[in-house]
Amino acid sequence: MNIPQYLAEEIVQTLEANIRYKINFMNKDGVIIASSSEHRIGTIHEGSLIVMETNRPLLLGADTRLKHTQEGINLPVEFNNEIIGTVGITGKIDEVDKFGAVIKSFTELLIKNSIYIKEQHLLIERRNLLMNALINNLDTGYNTEELKLIDDLFKTPVRLIIFRPSNALKSITDKYAVYKKFDAVLKNTPHLISILVNEIILLVPETLSIQTLESLRKHYSEQLFSMAVGYASQKIDQLKELYDFTLFLDKFPQKTITYHDITDEYLVHEIPAPVSHHIIQQVFDKISDSDYQMIHETFSAYVASNGSIQQAADSLFIHKNTLQYRLNKIMTLTGLNPRNLNDGYFLNLAFKLKESETA
């Protein structure tokens, strides 16, 4: 493994800021690739070569004759049981020797942390690319693990869910924390997670319960996640349609909304404006504003009460005979019988179109 220069520079800057001594970082060839003294960068530190060969710290006195070295201590840096470079502290031996063990451990910790974050970043980005490719029907050259995941997912119909955090997930640490939680909850279920700054997209089998999805949303209640749950399909080429529909659901203010909650609203959204205007004119033409308000209020209560005359009347604080009169008035004004299933559905659609037009 070769340490990239940016990481070596970060190590030098971090160590120097903490111990106030000049620091050098040498690669496996003994070349100084980062240093508190910039003029030393690019030179071969002969002391580093000895450390690489012996895998032992090397103390150099003020009288050292090794090329491009100064008084101080040089230590091997290890990762996964491999010496990947050396780190040196410039200064009087009796002053810097005490820092040796700490500097070695701290340097190796910085490297492990950097590599861990890079691995997290690669995982998140690869999952994001895979989700994007599936939604947009792109062939990005899937690896073996991704092909197996796709195969496992689409053995049954899948559902697409969009989670929306109120606070942007800007850092890779934030994204990975969410990824780990989702992955742990779904570990026994085929799933694909894509985590963007303001959006989490999840693909799961249709059989996964809403309760499980709710547990994910509620776990992040401090971030006020919202959740939109789309309908299911077993066809990969329909994922774009699933995504667009779920995006539409995401526009509604509920914390949790499913395709069951919003089918009529989606239909209203998809009907072309000329057709919508024609339906509104057909049903509500020549109805006064006061009559419209009355029949809308009555019909809404009737639907909300699932067709129960008594419940609808009670919700409007009127006698049930008055409600019967109003239902008859709706049929007289619109030509549609709210008690009839087909007429009631068309009337409900017309009201939604009318309300959407005036919103």
Side-chain angles (χ1 to χ4, degrees):
M1 174 185 173
N2 294 313
I3 294 295
Q5 186 168 350
Y6 77 87
L7 179 53
E9 291 172 350
E10 181 182 331
I11 290 169
V12 167
Q13 292 168 6
T14 302
L15 293 177
E16 184 181 11
N18 280 274
I19 67 170
R20 306 298 180 184
Y21 284 90
K22 290 185 177 181
I23 305 293
N24 301 300
F25 193 96
M26 285 69 70
N27 65 16
K28 290 190 290 187
D29 297 320
V31 178
I32 300 177
I33 59 173
S35 176
S36 303
S37 304
E38 291 187 9
H39 69 276
R40 300 184 66 184
I41 295 175
T43 61
I44 296 178
H45 190 291
E46 290 191 347
S48 175
L49 295 175
I50 295 173
V51 173
M52 290 293 300
E53 184 178 348
T54 63
N55 191 20
R56 293 180 179 178
L58 177 65
L59 297 172
L60 295 174
D63 58 350
T64 177
R65 294 187 178 183
L66 296 174
K67 288 183 179 180
H68 306 297
T69 63
Q70 294 180 10
E71 183 178 8
I73 183 172
N74 298 275
L75 307 128
V77 177
E78 298 177 74
F79 182 76
N80 287 344
N81 299 316
E82 175 191 358
I83 304 174
I84 57 175
T86 60
V87 62
I89 315 170
T90 302
K92 294 181 179 180
I93 291 177
D94 59 349
E95 294 178 3
V96 299
D97 186 28
K98 60 187 176 184
F99 293 113
V102 174
I103 291 301
K104 174 178 168 63
S105 297
F106 192 48
T107 300
E108 292 172 349
L109 181 62
L110 287 173
I111 292 171
K112 287 179 183 177
N113 185 59
S114 176
I115 291 172
Y116 181 57
I117 291 174
K118 184 177 180 180
E119 289 174 348
Q120 293 175 0
H121 179 77
L122 289 174
L123 173 63
I124 297 298
E125 287 304 309
R126 187 66 200 183
R127 287 294 186 258
N128 290 348
L129 286 172
L130 177 57
M131 183 72 80
N132 181 67
L134 290 175
I135 289 174
N136 293 291
N137 199 22
L138 304 173
D139 185 359
T140 59
Y142 308 126
N143 61 37
T144 304
E145 182 263 338
E146 289 168 344
L147 287 171
K148 184 179 185 305
L149 174 59
I150 294 169
D151 183 60
D152 289 343
L153 264 174
F154 286 90
K155 284 179 180 176
T156 60
V158 298
R159 198 183 304 286
L160 190 145
I161 300 98
I162 294 177
F163 293 87
R164 190 77 62 184
S166 58
N167 300 320
L169 302 172
K170 294 181 179 179
S171 73
I172 192 64
T173 303
D174 290 340
K175 292 178 182 178
Y176 191 69
V178 173
Y179 181 91
K180 280 184 65 179
K181 176 60 182 178
F182 276 48
D183 198 50
V185 173
L186 302 170
K187 64 181 179 180
N188 296 320
T189 303
H191 62 277
L192 176 61
I193 311 165
S194 172
I195 303 182
L196 306 173
V197 174
N198 295 302
E199 180 178 271
I200 300 166
I201 309 170
L202 179 64
L203 267 181
V204 291
E206 178 188 24
T207 52
L208 189 71
S209 69
I210 295 294
Q211 289 76 15
T212 300
L213 296 172
E214 269 286 285
S215 72
L216 288 171
R217 186 188 72 78
K218 289 180 178 179
H219 178 78
Y220 289 96
S221 58
E222 70 277 5
Q223 295 190 32
L224 302 176
F225 272 32
S226 62
M227 180 176 74
V229 183
Y231 59 88
S233 174
Q234 199 169 351
K235 297 179 179 179
I236 294 179
D237 58 7
Q238 287 186 348
L239 277 184
K240 182 66 167 68
E241 181 182 321
L242 291 183
Y243 177 72
D244 289 343
F245 178 77
T246 311
L247 267 184
F248 170 76
L249 297 182
D250 189 47
K251 297 177 182 178
F252 290 81
Q254 293 94 317
K255 286 296 172 210
T256 298
I257 188 165
T258 75
Y259 68 102
H260 289 298
D261 303 320
I262 213 71
T263 302
D264 288 342
E265 280 79 358
Y266 185 67
L267 184 59
V268 167
H269 179 74
E270 291 296 304
I271 291 177
V275 177
S276 174
H277 183 69
H278 175 75
I279 293 173
I280 293 169
Q281 286 292 104
Q282 177 186 338
V283 177
F284 301 118
D285 191 33
K286 299 179 181 179
I287 295 179
S288 68
D289 290 344
S290 58
D291 278 342
Y292 174 81
Q293 183 176 353
M294 181 273 292
I295 65 173
H296 185 215
E297 178 185 62
T298 302
F299 182 77
S300 297
Y302 182 67
V303 171
S305 300
N306 201 26
S308 168
I309 297 295
Q310 189 62 60
Q311 287 182 26
D314 290 345
S315 70
L316 293 172
F317 302 102
I318 59 176
H319 194 275
K320 66 179 183 179
N321 289 342
T322 304
L323 184 75
Q324 295 275 21
Y325 167 79
R326 288 189 179 186
L327 292 174
N328 291 333
K329 184 73 176 287
I330 291 174
M331 186 164 61
T332 299
L333 292 173
T334 67
L336 298 168
N337 182 1
R339 300 178 183 87
N340 177 275
L341 184 61
N342 290 331
D343 282 2
Y345 180 82
F346 190 75
L347 191 57
N348 188 45
L349 175 61
F351 274 120
K352 289 182 182 300
L353 290 171
K354 174 74 171 175
E355 293 302 304
S356 175
E357 185 181 66
T358 58

